[in-house]
Amino acid sequence: RTPGYTHATLVRIDTDQGITGWGECHAPVAPRVHRQIVTDLLGPVLMGQNALDVEVLWDKMYSTQRLRGYQTGFYMESIAGCDLALWDILGKFTRQPLYRLLGGKYRDRIPSYASAGADPAAARKLVDEGYKTLKLGLSKGSGTNDLQRIAAVSQAVRGRAQVMVDSLGAFKLSEAVRIGHQLDALGNIGWWEDPLGPEDLSGYPRLSQEVETPICAGEELSNRFQFRDLLGSRSVDIINPDVCRAGGISETRRIAILADAYGVLWSPHVS
């Protein structure tokens, strides 16, 4: 968010057995805030503890500030960095990859998508390279021009690939319903990501009822309790929690289990 720079906060945890774990906090802006939280609040919780008690330590970190309402934002992003570092330590201690510690892998290959621009020819080239899904932004303000751009790319790859749309929380509910109907008409939109603002979770049930295009949300959420409410109201078809924002591996795993219980697809967002 600062022109010319990309920010991140890396967390390093050392053990008395000489194992070092690394984690990352989602910190696109103000990474020094995460550093202070890790140093001043979370570090004292972890020092002297058994690093292998990963989920026990997660609960201890989370509980220190829960009565103050620090359940999202910088605090959960900081916990995520520590949690990732602890899982790294556990993997190195057991000499096992993370997927093995989580119960095994279900697949050897994971589909990926490419970010695409306005040029239909460039979109076709990406499909020629093997991508089956392309992702475009749909912003507010450019209105019809943006929809025309998505329609042009959708037509260019029709029958060969899907198009996914990301609005980064740009629209009010009434606007989203109208635009959603236009996306429905295109026929090959794989999902519409974060159409509503993060403060308007209550609008998603109606949007999902009105629009046929699958709705994806969750990048802006930070814990299982928020996702419980989103899933319980049957608001979305896909969730995409950010591992470096939503409490790391430990909490994102719980969120994935919740999604499975509600029959909702889960696609990790890793920024």
Side-chain angles (χ1 to χ4, degrees):
R1 304 296 182 341
T2 304
Y5 296 90
T6 298
H7 292 160
T9 300
L10 301 182
V11 178
R12 171 177 169 168
I13 299 179
D14 296 318
T15 72
D16 58 6
Q17 294 190 21
I19 299 176
T20 295
W22 287 94
E24 179 184 352
C25 312
H26 179 69
V29 293
R32 293 180 183 87
V33 176
H34 301 80
R35 181 183 65 182
Q36 290 305 119
I37 293 173
V38 171
T39 301
D40 296 349
L41 289 176
L42 303 180
V45 175
L46 299 177
M47 290 296 292
Q49 302 295 311
N50 188 331
L52 304 184
D53 293 334
V54 178
E55 298 203 34
V56 174
L57 295 176
W58 192 98
D59 283 336
K60 287 185 176 181
M61 289 188 288
Y62 180 78
S63 295
T64 58
Q65 300 296 317
R66 69 190 308 172
L67 293 181
R68 290 182 169 86
Y70 296 166
Q71 301 162 349
T72 63
F74 289 106
Y75 191 65
M76 288 298 288
E77 292 165 352
S78 299
I79 289 177
C82 294
D83 182 76
L84 287 162
L86 290 170
W87 277 104
D88 190 28
I89 289 170
L90 181 59
K92 290 172 178 174
F93 178 81
T94 61
R95 298 184 179 181
Q96 293 292 329
L98 181 57
Y99 72 79
R100 183 71 65 203
L101 299 177
L102 294 176
K105 62 179 177 180
Y106 284 83
R107 57 189 61 82
D108 292 309
R109 297 165 62 89
I110 299 175
S112 60
Y113 61 77
S115 296
D119 184 3
R124 282 192 291 266
K125 184 175 184 297
L126 289 170
V127 176
D128 291 339
E129 292 174 1
Y131 289 100
K132 301 299 183 185
T133 308
L134 308 178
K135 185 164 154 181
L136 291 79
L138 174 58
S139 61
K140 189 172 184 177
S142 50
T144 303
N145 292 333
D146 244 18
L147 283 168
Q148 288 176 343
R149 175 174 59 86
I150 290 168
V153 172
S154 170
Q155 180 60 37
V157 301
R158 188 176 305 279
R160 301 179 63 201
Q162 285 188 321
V163 173
M164 298 191 301
V165 179
D166 187 357
S167 292
L168 295 172
F171 300 103
K172 297 183 183 302
L173 178 59
S174 59
E175 298 169 328
V177 170
R178 174 174 51 82
I179 293 170
H181 290 158
Q182 296 178 69
L183 294 176
D184 291 344
L186 297 178
N188 66 336
I189 304 300
W191 79 39
W192 188 11
E193 183 176 340
D194 293 328
L196 302 178
E199 298 85 5
D200 190 18
L201 294 183
S202 62
Y204 275 107
R206 183 186 159 194
L207 181 62
S208 294
Q209 291 173 358
E210 293 273 355
V211 175
E212 295 180 3
T213 297
I215 302 298
C216 174
E219 172 188 344
E220 73 280 9
L221 303 182
S222 301
N223 59 59
R224 81 196 90 142
F225 309 109
Q226 292 174 315
F227 279 96
R228 172 199 62 195
D229 296 341
L230 188 70
L231 293 166
S233 61
R234 297 291 179 177
S235 297
V236 294
D237 304 286
I238 305 130
I239 61 168
N240 61 335
D242 192 302
V243 178
C244 294
R245 171 182 285 155
I249 294 293
S250 295
E251 187 72 349
T252 307
R253 179 190 191 187
R254 300 180 189 115
I255 293 166
I257 293 170
L258 273 176
D260 183 58
Y262 282 95
V264 171
L265 294 176
W266 176 82
S267 176
H269 187 278
V270 186
S271 56

